[in-house]
Amino acid sequence: LDVCETKIIKYSIDYSLLVFIIIIILLLVYLFYRMRTVTIKKFIISRDYIKKGEKITIGLDVKTHMKVNDVEIKDFVPSVFKVVDAKGMKPTKKKIKFGTELVWKLHQLQRGEERIVHYKIEPLFSVTGTVKLPKAILLFKYLGKSLKKRSNLIDIGADVIDEYYENRHIKKIKHHIGKLKKHIKRKK
């Protein structure tokens, strides 16, 4: 370059290949762990008010993406509920201090297998609000190691807050109907 002469050099870096490779690696890691997992999900059939004598069905959904052995599903039912016999696979019941422990034993689950076990409970008295049911536990052996998974928590019953908001909405609707009636009377 001569004195007082300038040159502009432009360059760019294309990161698209690097981003693509990172996305592929993350996807493969996700699929690897997704295909090697066992899950347990607790669910409820009805979410009505808890009334004495009303039977509520609770389900436990176990999915596996790998072959596992010595599978044991444990769930705890608080003492405010009585466990009622239901159709299907029967658990062993054990009365303990604060409720009933239910245990289902499965010899083996194959890769891609899904099992749903369920039971019915009946409240011993009516309850306003909700009752939280504890997490179910899934015990199993994979490659000689004993492993444990926990399910989600579930609530049974109608929440007092939901009832409060429902009553508030009903009051608002009645208020608006009253205003409409007054407005119609004025026009006549």
Side-chain angles (χ1 to χ4, degrees):
L1 288 176
D2 290 334
V3 178
C4 296
E5 189 178 335
T6 60
K7 292 245 180 188
I8 298 173
I9 300 173
K10 290 184 179 182
Y11 66 92
S12 64
I13 299 174
D14 185 10
Y15 289 107
S16 60
L17 181 62
L18 180 63
V19 170
F20 180 73
I21 290 172
I22 290 172
I23 289 172
I24 293 296
I25 289 171
L26 290 173
L27 183 64
L28 289 173
V29 167
Y30 169 77
L31 289 173
F32 176 76
Y33 282 105
R34 179 74 178 126
M35 293 301 158
R36 295 186 46 135
T37 58
V38 177
T39 59
I40 181 168
K41 183 180 178 192
K42 192 172 192 175
F43 60 94
I44 185 168
I45 304 302
S46 61
R47 288 184 177 251
D48 297 325
Y49 292 97
I50 303 171
K51 297 176 186 157
K52 185 177 179 182
E54 175 188 328
K55 291 181 178 78
I56 301 166
T57 304
I58 309 294
L60 298 166
D61 184 7
V62 178
K63 293 180 186 176
T64 180
H65 296 284
M66 56 192 185
K67 184 178 175 183
V68 293
N69 297 311
D70 302 329
V71 180
E72 210 172 275
I73 305 166
K74 291 184 176 186
D75 202 5
F76 177 75
V77 179
S79 58
V80 296
F81 297 101
K82 175 177 81 172
V83 178
V84 181
D85 285 335
K87 293 180 181 178
M89 191 173 170
K90 305 279 186 223
T92 56
K93 299 176 195 173
K94 181 181 177 185
K95 272 286 199 194
I96 53 179
K97 189 173 183 177
F98 298 107
T100 306
E101 183 181 59
L102 304 174
V103 179
W104 291 265
K105 292 188 180 199
L106 308 170
H107 176 66
Q108 188 179 72
L109 289 177
Q110 297 297 324
R111 183 173 187 222
E113 190 172 348
E114 179 176 2
R115 291 277 181 102
I116 297 175
V117 295
H118 69 281
Y119 59 94
K120 290 188 180 213
I121 56 175
E122 186 178 317
L124 298 176
F125 49 85
S126 297
V127 177
T128 302
T130 60
V131 174
K132 281 194 184 305
L133 289 182
K135 295 179 178 184
I137 297 171
L138 176 66
L139 303 167
F140 59 95
K141 286 187 180 173
Y142 177 67
L143 297 176
K145 290 183 182 178
S146 294
L147 300 169
K148 180 196 289 191
K149 293 278 186 162
R150 293 184 185 273
S151 74
N152 52 312
L153 285 170
I154 59 170
D155 293 332
I156 296 179
D159 200 349
V160 176
I161 294 170
D162 291 341
E163 191 176 323
Y164 167 76
Y165 284 115
E166 187 176 310
N167 288 339
R168 239 176 93 195
H169 289 297
I170 291 170
K171 285 180 184 176
K172 279 184 180 180
I173 291 170
K174 287 180 179 178
H175 175 72
H176 288 296
I177 290 172
K179 279 185 172 182
L180 280 171
K181 285 180 180 178
K182 286 180 185 177
H183 184 68
I184 292 171
K185 284 182 183 177
R186 276 191 242 147
K187 283 192 172 186
K188 287 183 180 181

